[in-house]
Amino acid sequence: MSSNPVTPLLDTVDVPADLRKLAPGQLRQLADELRAEMISAVGSTGGHLGSGLGVVELTVAIHYVFNTPDDKLVWDVGHQAYPHKIITGRRDRIRTLRQGGGLSGFTKRSESEYDPFGAAHSSTSISAALGFAIANKLAGNPGKGIAVIGDGAMSAGMAYEAMNNAAEAGNRLVVILNDNDMSIAPPVGGLSAYLAKIVSSRPFLELREVAKRISRKLPEPLHKAAKKTDEFARGMAMGGTLFEELGFYYVGPIDGHNLDQLIPVLENVRDAAEGPCLIHVVTQKGKGYAPAEASADKYHGVQKFDVITGEQIKPAATAPAYQNVFGETLAKLADSDPKICAITAAMPSGTGVDKFAKAHPDRAFDVGIAEQHGVTFAAGLAAQGMRPFCAIYSTFLQRAYDQVVHDVAIQNLPVRFAIDRAGLVGADGATHAGSFDITYLASLPNMVVMAAADEAELVHMTYTAALHDSGPIAFRYPRGNGVGVELPEVPQQLEIGKGRIVRHGTKVAILSLGTRLAEALKAADQLEAKGLSTTVADLRFAKPLDTDLIRQLMTTHEVVLTVEEGSIGGLGAHVLTMASDEGLTDAGLKIRTLRLPDLFQDHDSPDKQYDAAGLNAPHIVDAVLKALRHNSAGVEEARA
Ligand SMILES: Cc1ncc(C[n+]2csc(CCOP(=O)(O)OP(=O)(O)O)c2C)c(N)n1
């Protein structure tokens, strides 16, 4: 035990202005305390751990050197911003991370003036920081735009589109490339190899070299003096050509955990550079926490865990995760079908493509964070007779919408879209919710859109998609584990555009799409108890609609209600359009559509989110009773 305990510094730092009062020699201690605080907090909440641990020193250094919040600091993805939140006035709420009413797991404008730009989807930071920089330039303000972007996020085209456009910003734009040689999975592709080459081919940059490097943009006499030295010439020869060609001053690589190096380099860039600067910082994901450093994914995302052992507290799974049902089914199908291949955009384990890749490595493609490329690449494969499955989360497929329309749907190419994380996703919140895919896909000519009601249905839909060579087809399924139904030994080919009746009734018909089926069946029980005979159909297809089934139910039932885990414009809109086109509402049929509300829902547990969205059994009962003008019966009665 130390006889001379060190006074905690973190308690004295509420906001960056407090941090700037510390002496440089105190920053190491502060960083250590910040790291410990982050580990303790995430141990109690779960969330993104490895990425934040890797940027503790960088976080301290940036806020120490730059004038935040006037200088706008934009964290790419935002999943590494927990240390940033702790020292920007949110330490008292850090143990509410990702919980209902608590702090977001990403940066969020409404949360703090130190989060000038919200994120969660990757590779947007340079564009946004450039926007801040140019706006300041136009207004004559001194503030800079600072983007911190990971090597994984650098695999996306958008980062290059922004860099290509950056010269305008002058020294108001600073890009910090946080190179930890990891995406969620190991990074892929040429850029990753390029960065590795720079890092391995030269030692970490000496301070002297940074100064010389930047002096290239110093006033002319100084510049000339510097130019005379051999060292300057050596400085000129360092790596980073790619970034230089894009108009950046490349500085690096530097050790992102060494504050003695980080602080002066950032100061140099702040004070001396004239053009946009890219600082290549090398960090270690999971740094400073042994269980994270030792794990294969560096604890990218974790459940709550025991801080001493690092052991995560995982709820016992009662059924397989949807993504694994998909990956394993596809791997089996590919055993006898050499044309099947699988594409993931940097999410091999999240999408189950890792299972496929194990069995068929030559037909599995991780394209990096490049959803747009992934979709058009799949279109090319399909045009050449392959059967590509693009496994992309609903929210990330949004980024590739034009590719879906222009490269796939217009050409009627049989690309299969396995759309994971459909519907509300819980702790990741609005940015990750899979709310829109039914709407944005079912509006496209040629497209077939299915939604799985459970994991057995997912097996059938994967098989159905494999056999569907006549055009594009998509099937969606939620985050998390299945409902526990038995998986079929032999998958069934579903007839395109045909639903199924799961329960027969006479007065009320619930048309369900996707995994709300369980809630629809619960609601049917409750309605039955009130004497309202209820049919439940699992439509399976949002497009093409099973018009025969829907027409039959509409002409034999008094109330028809649609339920879906998607936004306005999806199944409900298509059913209403069909009903009005065919005049089915003319005879007084009551139609109601239950769908996600027209707002971006904040993070919470999925159950609570669905409750807030009005998509649980009591809401279905309530909607039916109201439609039948039992208006006194509300959700409370339905719950009873
Ligand atoms: C458009 C998009 N696709 C996929 C993801 C999922 N995702 C979140 S973080 C991440 C890896 C990011 O790697 P990197 O930028 O190197 O940051 P690190 O976690 O290593 O710090 C991925 C693929 C995303 N956020 N956005």
Side-chain angles (χ1 to χ4, degrees):
M1 258 192 8
S2 161
S3 56
N4 184 15
V6 184
T7 318
L9 288 176
L10 191 57
D11 293 350
T12 68
V13 175
D14 184 35
V15 289
D18 303 323
L19 170 70
R20 289 175 208 131
K21 290 179 198 147
L22 300 179
Q26 294 177 294
L27 297 182
R28 179 70 264 157
Q29 182 192 328
L30 181 82
D32 292 342
E33 291 172 16
L34 183 53
R35 181 169 275 116
E37 176 71 346
M38 186 193 160
I39 294 167
S40 153
V42 182
S44 70
T45 60
H48 290 103
L49 182 65
S51 308
L53 289 177
V55 296
V56 167
E57 288 80 10
L58 195 54
T59 304
V60 168
I62 292 170
H63 283 296
Y64 192 70
V65 170
F66 289 98
N67 188 29
T68 56
D70 291 345
D71 287 332
K72 303 297 179 192
L73 172 57
V74 185
W75 294 97
D76 205 275
V77 183
H79 63 315
Q80 74 290 63
Y82 301 179
H84 158 84
K85 292 194 183 209
I86 293 172
I87 59 167
T88 53
R90 286 167 276 182
R91 185 181 177 193
D92 57 343
R93 284 180 292 151
I94 200 69
R95 284 168 181 75
T96 67
L97 267 170
R98 293 161 57 86
Q99 294 155 50
L103 292 180
S104 161
F106 303 97
T107 48
K108 197 166 181 183
R109 274 171 64 85
S110 59
E111 216 173 77
S112 167
E113 62 178 331
Y114 293 92
D115 289 5
F117 205 75
H121 289 204
S122 88
S123 318
T124 59
S125 61
I126 304 178
S127 301
L130 181 60
F132 285 112
I134 296 286
N136 278 338
K137 182 178 165 187
L138 293 175
N141 292 334
K144 293 186 191 293
I146 303 156
V148 183
I149 181 167
D151 54 304
M154 268 289 189
S155 60
M158 200 176 160
Y160 298 86
E161 294 169 30
M163 284 194 285
N164 193 37
N165 192 218
E168 293 275 307
N171 70 355
R172 282 185 170 83
L173 180 68
V174 178
V175 175
I176 300 177
L177 168 58
N178 172 33
D179 180 4
N180 58 20
D181 200 25
M182 279 289 280
S183 189
I184 292 179
V188 295
L191 176 83
S192 149
Y194 174 68
L195 294 179
K197 204 163 116 192
I198 298 179
V199 172
S200 63
S201 67
R202 49 173 294 110
F204 285 134
L205 198 64
E206 294 295 325
L207 283 183
R208 226 168 19 155
E209 286 178 286
V210 178
K212 296 262 163 57
R213 181 88 183 129
I214 290 167
S215 74
R216 205 168 94 185
K217 272 287 166 180
L218 290 178
E220 201 49 19
L222 284 174
H223 183 152
K224 275 192 185 135
K227 217 172 179 179
K228 283 188 190 135
T229 69
D230 288 342
E231 284 154 320
F232 183 69
R234 270 198 279 131
M236 288 288 283
M238 72 179 90
T241 317
L242 170 67
F243 303 110
E244 306 234 305
E245 294 298 332
L246 287 166
F248 279 81
Y249 288 93
Y250 169 91
V251 178
I254 65 170
D255 178 353
H257 300 299
N258 182 344
L259 283 158
D260 294 336
Q261 199 171 40
L262 271 178
I263 301 278
V265 168
L266 293 182
E267 281 171 346
N268 258 319
V269 165
R270 179 195 64 196
D271 300 336
E274 270 183 19
C277 232
L278 183 135
I279 310 170
H280 182 177
V281 172
V282 178
T283 61
Q284 188 185 347
K285 198 160 181 166
K287 173 78 176 176
Y289 186 52
E293 287 184 14
S295 84
D297 76 343
K298 311 288 177 218
Y299 276 21
H300 180 87
V302 292
Q303 308 281 343
K304 294 175 188 182
F305 61 91
D306 179 321
V307 171
I308 308 288
T309 62
E311 204 174 311
Q312 295 181 50
I313 301 152
K314 290 191 177 159
T318 49
Y322 279 98
Q323 74 231 35
N324 293 336
V325 171
F326 162 70
E328 279 159 16
T329 303
L330 193 66
K332 262 190 238 156
L333 294 174
D335 288 343
S336 56
D337 185 345
K339 292 189 167 175
I340 289 179
C341 39
I343 294 151
T344 173
M347 307 296 283
S349 66
T351 55
V353 167
D354 58 344
K355 305 272 182 295
F356 180 92
K358 222 171 176 183
H360 306 286
D362 53 332
R363 285 186 274 152
F365 304 95
D366 181 350
V367 296
I369 307 179
E371 289 81 4
Q372 297 161 300
H373 156 63
V375 169
T376 304
F377 168 52
L381 285 167
Q384 191 59 22
M386 297 299 287
R387 298 197 168 108
F389 280 73
C390 256
I392 298 181
Y393 292 5
S394 167
T395 190
F396 299 141
L397 188 59
Q398 289 164 192
R399 185 164 279 195
Y401 190 53
D402 184 58
Q403 285 72 9
V404 172
V405 177
H406 174 268
D407 298 329
V408 176
I410 290 179
Q411 305 194 88
N412 202 22
L413 288 168
V415 173
R416 287 82 174 161
F417 294 99
I419 302 179
D420 202 319
R421 287 4 177 226
L424 300 175
V425 295
D428 281 334
T431 53
H432 278 55
S435 307
F436 306 112
D437 59 279
I438 306 174
T439 303
Y440 68 65
L441 292 176
S443 53
L444 298 178
N446 294 334
M447 186 65 76
V448 173
V449 181
M450 302 183 274
D454 57 38
E455 61 270 39
E457 285 288 295
L458 176 56
V459 172
H460 299 320
M461 288 180 180
T462 307
Y463 182 55
T464 303
L467 298 178
H468 188 76
D469 286 329
S470 57
I473 188 165
F475 51 105
R476 74 188 313 250
Y477 43 98
R479 180 176 207 268
N481 297 322
V483 295
V485 295
E486 209 173 310
L487 292 179
E489 292 266 311
V490 183
Q492 203 186 314
Q493 182 179 11
L494 304 176
E495 194 180 338
I496 299 296
K498 288 292 162 200
R500 57 177 177 145
I501 302 252
V502 183
R503 168 185 178 130
H504 290 275
T506 53
K507 192 171 178 78
V508 176
I510 304 174
L511 310 182
S512 170
L513 181 75
T515 51
R516 285 295 98 185
L517 181 63
E519 293 297 313
L521 287 168
K522 267 193 234 165
D525 281 343
Q526 293 171 23
L527 289 167
E528 206 79 43
K530 294 176 192 296
L532 299 170
S533 172
T534 301
T535 296
V536 178
D538 170 16
L539 281 187
R540 281 182 170 148
F541 290 81
K543 186 172 188 156
L545 279 182
D546 189 344
T547 48
D548 291 343
L549 176 65
I550 297 170
R551 189 179 306 112
Q552 186 228 319
L553 294 176
M554 285 187 171
T555 50
T556 53
H557 291 68
E558 203 173 312
V559 179
V560 171
L561 188 124
T562 62
V563 188
E564 64 193 301
E565 293 144 326
S567 69
I568 190 165
L571 175 75
H574 287 264
V575 168
L576 280 172
T577 304
M578 176 211 150
S580 98
D581 283 355
E582 297 197 10
L584 294 169
T585 49
D586 299 354
L589 171 71
K590 300 174 176 79
I591 306 182
R592 299 292 181 272
T593 61
L594 295 196
R595 59 200 185 257
L596 292 175
D598 186 21
L599 51 86
F600 291 107
Q601 274 183 268
D602 274 338
H603 52 282
D604 208 333
S605 71
D607 249 9
K608 285 192 185 151
Q609 287 184 318
Y610 277 118
D611 214 35
L615 286 180
N616 283 332
H619 306 101
I620 298 173
V621 172
D622 190 45
V624 170
L625 296 181
K626 281 198 175 127
L628 287 167
R629 304 199 195 294
H630 292 205
N631 282 335
S632 56
V635 171
E636 287 317 314
E637 184 194 320
R639 277 186 210 281

